[in-house]
Amino acid sequence: MRYLPIAVAALTLAATAPCHADTAAHADTAAHADTPRPTRASAGEVDGQFRDPDTYDLAIAHFTDTQYLSQCAASAATSGQRDRCQQIYDGISQWIVNNADSRKIAYTSHTGDIIDSYNSWNPLAARAEFPHASQAQQILDDAGMPNGVLPGNHDNRRGKDPSLYNQHFGPQRYRQASDNATQPYYDGPWKDGDNTNHVDTFTAGGADFAVINLGYGVTDAAVQWANREIEKRPHHNVIIATHAYLKPGPAPSGEGAALSDDGHILRDRVVDPHRNVFLVLSGHEHGVGRNVRTDAGSPGHQVVELVADYQDYTAGDDGKGHAGFLRLLQLDVRRGELTVDTYSPSLNSFRSRDYDTKPGRHYDGTEDEFTVPVHLITS
């Protein structure tokens, strides 16, 4: 893999490469704390591994749209198929737990469509699916890992009914999980008994973070609530976690992503007005996309917007929708870098593009492995 040095001012979207454990570049990191890390010589040079944990301060795990795994675990034709789908979903959470210490995972975000069958009125199927999703997410709770789960359109009847979601992922669950976690993180729901929108906070890497979780079908009331919660935390680095913010980007790298269902209201009224919002995570749309906006609402306000949804990727014998990819967002607070890597524990693969069967779409690897600059507030 060929590298060349650049100046910090030259950092652009997808320009820098993670300083991975097997690269010679890592050898000088400690000795040259202010020396910029290397960049790939071309967009196609992707190394297919996580960043060296010695070169970053904390990580955030993100996965989304596990609906087909929950559906399969509840209703596939054979017990073998049902067990395998549960194993894949459980395996995502278990991988995060197993790697939390070595990879400095401080928080995990699931951005909705936990199940499949509550997009339309099918409560019988939905009731069968939710326990399987709950079992997989409970692995994180039991390990004491800060995490948030918000409802997508398949979980809340397109924003009309969060009742089943709240039965399994309501405030009481997360109050208890937070009390038992490595650090208390659950700051409460927007309404008593309704976890559709809620706030999580955590401290890691010498910085404070707040995650504003906003379920599908963002309303004016939800926007007003989110703005109040952000205003309460002016010294937190704010992440907006929501279901339907971006569409997949048209470029082989996933760049140039347009806004999805809730994207317009959130960008205009929540993201752009607050200069401490630096990151948006989302799912819903099948594929991946990203934007790095350097003047979001005001000059110099940088926001990284991401969608990463692998629900339609075909995983060979495991079937369509069962690829089990997650993302690890590795943050170097001191240098202001965010490195994203994508991995499937069930497939033991970093190459999500090999499983994307959408006609006419040709990702090149940089859509799922890249480094971008971020602006962070330190404690």
Side-chain angles (χ1 to χ4, degrees):
M1 194 179 294
R2 183 165 61 93
Y3 291 93
L4 54 90
I6 59 166
V8 172
L11 287 170
T12 56
L13 179 62
T16 59
C19 194
H20 290 292
D22 65 339
T23 66
H26 172 54
D28 293 332
T29 299
H32 301 285
D34 296 323
T35 301
R37 289 188 178 134
T39 185
R40 289 189 179 91
S42 69
E45 292 185 89
V46 173
D47 66 5
Q49 57 187 310
F50 293 109
R51 180 167 172 162
D52 181 351
D54 288 342
T55 71
Y56 64 85
D57 300 297
L58 72 141
I60 297 167
H62 172 226
F63 62 105
T64 191
D65 292 83
T66 49
Q67 61 215 65
Y68 295 146
L69 291 172
S70 300
Q71 181 187 52
C72 168
S75 61
T78 69
S79 61
Q81 290 174 314
R82 295 191 294 273
D83 291 346
R84 177 56 178 162
C85 287
Q86 188 69 58
Q87 182 184 51
I88 294 169
Y89 194 165
D90 288 353
I92 296 171
S93 294
Q94 193 62 57
W95 184 92
I96 294 168
V97 170
N98 292 348
N99 288 273
D101 289 339
S102 62
R103 302 217 166 269
K104 304 178 182 177
I105 303 173
Y107 183 81
T108 299
S109 174
H110 189 311
T111 51
D113 280 0
I114 317 158
I115 67 150
D116 187 62
S117 295
Y118 214 48
N119 189 46
S120 56
W121 182 249
N122 193 347
L124 186 64
R127 288 192 181 98
E129 293 167 17
F130 266 116
H132 292 278
S134 180
Q135 171 183 314
Q137 297 295 142
Q138 188 69 39
I139 293 169
L140 298 170
D141 296 348
D142 290 345
M145 295 198 64
N147 73 96
V149 181
L150 59 90
N153 54 297
H154 284 262
D155 308 315
N156 67 4
R157 286 192 65 216
R158 293 190 165 272
K160 297 183 178 72
D161 179 12
S163 59
L164 290 181
Y165 160 80
N166 279 311
Q167 285 179 28
H168 295 275
F169 297 97
Q172 187 55 40
R173 172 178 181 153
Y174 287 97
R175 289 191 185 100
Q176 181 176 346
S178 179
D179 288 344
N180 296 329
T182 53
Q183 59 173 299
Y185 65 91
Y186 183 66
D187 272 12
W190 77 315
K191 294 179 180 178
D192 288 343
D194 184 5
N195 213 36
T196 295
N197 309 308
H198 62 275
V199 183
D200 296 322
T201 60
F202 63 96
T203 299
D208 296 325
F209 296 86
V211 185
I212 308 298
N213 291 276
L214 291 154
Y216 181 85
V218 177
T219 62
D220 286 341
V223 165
Q224 293 167 15
W225 168 84
N227 286 329
R228 290 193 300 269
E229 295 300 322
I230 296 170
E231 288 163 3
K232 291 177 186 176
R233 300 170 176 87
H235 302 298
H236 282 69
N237 299 284
V238 174
I239 301 166
I240 303 299
T242 193
H243 185 59
Y245 187 86
L246 281 188
K247 296 180 179 181
S253 62
E255 296 172 81
L259 294 171
S260 185
D261 296 5
D262 290 326
H264 291 282
I265 188 173
L266 286 175
R267 178 186 278 182
D268 293 345
R269 297 178 57 188
V270 177
V271 174
D272 286 3
H274 300 285
R275 291 185 65 88
N276 58 332
V277 173
F278 80 101
L279 178 64
V280 182
L281 302 176
S282 64
H284 185 60
E285 304 271 1
H286 310 171
V288 300
R290 74 178 185 266
N291 301 316
V292 174
R293 301 172 58 229
T294 56
D295 295 301
S298 59
H301 178 203
Q302 181 171 294
V303 179
V304 179
E305 302 172 330
L306 302 175
V307 57
D309 176 2
Y310 308 98
Q311 65 172 287
D312 259 9
Y313 285 30
T314 297
D317 292 341
D318 284 335
K320 181 179 179 181
H322 305 154
F325 280 95
L326 62 89
R327 276 187 164 181
L328 196 65
L329 288 74
Q330 300 134 113
L331 282 159
D332 183 336
V333 173
R334 178 170 49 87
R335 278 194 170 89
E337 289 180 350
L338 167 63
T339 294
V340 174
D341 288 300
T342 305
Y343 178 70
S344 168
S346 59
L347 297 170
N348 188 26
S349 175
F350 290 87
R351 295 176 59 92
S352 65
R353 60 194 180 280
D354 292 348
Y355 303 91
D356 179 18
T357 57
K358 183 172 181 176
R361 186 159 65 191
H362 302 288
Y363 291 132
D364 64 10
T366 61
E367 83 287 356
D368 268 335
E369 183 182 316
F370 55 90
T371 296
V372 295
V374 289
H375 296 169
L376 296 174
I377 304 166
T378 55
S379 301

